[in-house]
Amino acid sequence: MTTVQNRAAGWHRPLMLLVSAMAVLTVVAAVGVAADPRVLTGAPIWAKPLKFAISFVLYGVTLAWMLSLLPRRSRAAERAATLIVAMAVLEMTIIVGQVLRGTASHFNGATTLDAMLYSVMGAAITVLFAAQLVLAVVLSRRSLADRAGGYAVRLGLAVSLLGMVVAFPMVMRQPAGAPAGISGAHSVGVPDGGPGLPLLGWSTTGGDLRVGHFVGMHALQALPLLAILLDRFLGRRLDGLTRARLVLVGGAAYAGLTLLVTAQALRGQPLLAPDALTLAAAGVLVAATATASALVLARRARRAGVVLVG
């Protein structure tokens, strides 16, 4: 534990400051959810800052950890990470500011000020996307000590970029019956703010584009966790190359899942009410993942047999 704490102390300072600030905001927003009776688009007005703050805690810690894996410092990567911090602070400042004003931060063009702030948020996310792309390029060009872990980091960054891309249809949607000044929506086939899943709020009556965005973004944590679990439980039975190939299979499957739930949402289906086509596509994805994993393990077994015979 001491070793982990010592390593964390040297992690990218701006990212860790962001994590600390977002942890504090998480507490503040949680109190707001409990104490502030105001409701916006069917949810407590502090729910959005709470969810975004938690997300930025996970995002910042994960990126700082990834940077710590580099065998030597990269000025380009560190500057990109600092730019990510600046854009995150800008976005959260607007989100909290709009809550204090009692109005929506996203899809809101009701007034000149609201429209300007929403445009600034859009620009901030575009810059953040570009900065994370720089991180992905730097990490893809540097060799990491563990091959499976290296693949997990690179694929996590790549699939999380896909998670950002699948969120763009929210901006382009023109929901029927939306209040004046609202342009964009995360729900498909139903108005925003209807019945939703507990905590997450994803629509239970129509499609919800936040699902694919959520799934894709958390590839940053899911794929490194896959590599860690493979090493922890199968490290003695599987060599590094086999574990790396299984991570590649997992990354492809995770990207496929991100696209699948996004397509499901675009077709107006709630996450928990897929139709036959969605279930068939999910079945194909599961079968393809299982087949690819089996082929990787069979190839490893053949290599082991050749070595024993030799």
Side-chain angles (χ1 to χ4, degrees), residues 8-175:
W11 287 0
H12 189 264
R13 188 174 297 275
L15 278 171
M16 297 311 292
L17 288 173
L18 173 68
V19 169
S20 299
M22 292 301 104
V24 172
L25 180 57
T26 296
V27 175
V28 172
V31 172
V33 168
D36 192 335
R38 292 179 297 169
V39 173
L40 186 66
T41 321
I45 198 167
W46 284 95
K48 186 179 290 291
L50 177 61
K51 290 189 285 188
F52 271 69
I54 294 172
S55 295
F56 274 124
V57 167
L58 294 173
Y59 185 67
V61 167
T62 304
L63 292 186
W65 168 72
M66 288 179 172
L67 284 175
S68 76
L69 299 178
L70 288 170
R72 61 183 184 279
R73 291 183 61 184
S74 166
R75 290 186 180 275
E78 290 180 356
R79 289 171 178 169
T82 301
L83 187 57
I84 286 173
V85 171
M87 295 303 102
V89 169
L90 177 59
E91 180 171 9
M92 290 306 299
T93 300
I94 294 173
I95 289 174
V96 173
Q98 291 292 75
V99 166
L100 295 175
R101 294 181 63 229
T103 190
S105 53
H106 288 70
F107 317 130
N108 188 0
T111 69
T112 302
L113 177 60
D114 292 329
M116 181 194 71
L117 291 174
Y118 183 42
S119 296
V120 170
M121 289 178 65
I125 291 301
T126 302
V127 173
L128 188 149
F129 179 93
Q132 184 175 316
L133 181 59
V134 170
L135 284 182
V137 171
V138 170
L139 283 161
S140 70
R141 298 178 64 181
R142 301 289 180 91
S143 297
L144 303 184
D146 177 62
R147 180 183 290 186
Y151 283 0
V153 167
R154 294 160 189 153
L155 285 169
L157 284 164
V159 178
S160 69
L161 288 171
L162 174 63
M164 293 185 194
V165 170
V166 298
F168 279 108
M170 298 186 201
V171 179
M172 297 181 290
R173 292 191 54 75
Q174 296 295 330

Side-chain angles (χ1 to χ4, degrees), residues 176-190:
I182 298 298
S183 177
H186 52 73
S187 298
V188 179
V190 294

